[in-house]
Amino acid sequence: SALHFNLFFFLTTFWSLIRLIGPNPCSGRVEIFYNGVWGTVCDDSWDLNDAAVACRQMGCGSAQSALPLAYFGAGTGQIWLDDVLCTGSERDLSQCTHNGFGINNCGHGEDAGAICAVDGEIRLIGPNVCSGRVEVLHNGVWGTVCDDSWDLNDAAVACRQKGCGSALSALPLAYFGAGTGQIWLDDVLCKGNESDLSQCTHNGYGINNCGHGEDAGVICAADGEIRLIGPDLCSGRVEVLHNGVWGTVCDNGWDINDAAVVCRQMGCGSALSAPPLAYFGAGTGQIWLSYLLCTGSESDLSQCTYDGYGINNCIHSEDAGVICAGEKVS
């Protein structure tokens, strides 16, 4: 009807609609609807404050990146906004300073993009990115998870979703401090093989009988963590965690100084030997590190010189190992 059209025209004139053209509704090229036409935003002065407003307007939570140079591909037609300058607190891009609709000196190779936190995403509020209070994003708002029935299966899913490897602990009773605001999930029941918490059984978003003194937490294996696959905790094939995936170390350049760092990192005392050639058996999958060069005084392998994660010309028959003295150091 004419009434509906006029209302739509009023809303889209005074409160511009936006969309993100990309891999999901919360990541993509930023486009504005103005005077009945979709158009792009130029990347001149485009920064995280501007992206924060776009993400808020999309109901997508915090801005992770503000991307220039048509990162998500070049648009076509109108370029509606240029020199956008937001404080980050605005609820709509049209409230930010800009040159005026359609006034720009840009081409579509300069189209601005944004990556926002996605609904169902989680974060860990704690001492590092792989340990902390579990928080879930829903409808653009972060909220906590109640510890009712919270166990290692649930923690395993949270750790997998964060790319943090295996779950070491599932912690109840606001171990990492009490959150505020929403408690989004309660009675979470995961099998442990789900890819994210939203796939697990729960009561429904916001349905709970909890207080923040019951906020759930996790401790996951952190990126850069190591393990030894062998006959005991202090001897074995060296494996490193990166991006949530365990991989081996190539024996190119592998020596007693490198082994000394591994033994120290494992709390296993001094290094007795640095056996090469898959002495403890060949691993599978990724070979993360090669040509490690440690002085022997580093506290963990990530502090040593190496070629870069995944850069190697090795096969698993060259997997490096260590034998440590086995003096468990606290």
Side-chain angles (χ1 to χ4, degrees), residues 73-98:
T76 58
Q78 292 288 344
I79 299 174
W80 279 132
L81 298 183
D82 188 17
D83 292 316
V84 175
L85 185 60
C86 304
T87 66
S89 61
E90 299 86 352
R91 73 179 196 182
D92 185 295
L93 279 181
S94 68
Q95 296 177 330
C96 303
T97 301
H98 56 83

Side-chain angles (χ1 to χ4, degrees), residues 283-296:
T284 58
Q286 294 288 345
I287 300 173
W288 279 134
L289 300 180
S290 181
Y291 287 108
L292 268 163
L293 183 61
C294 304
T295 66

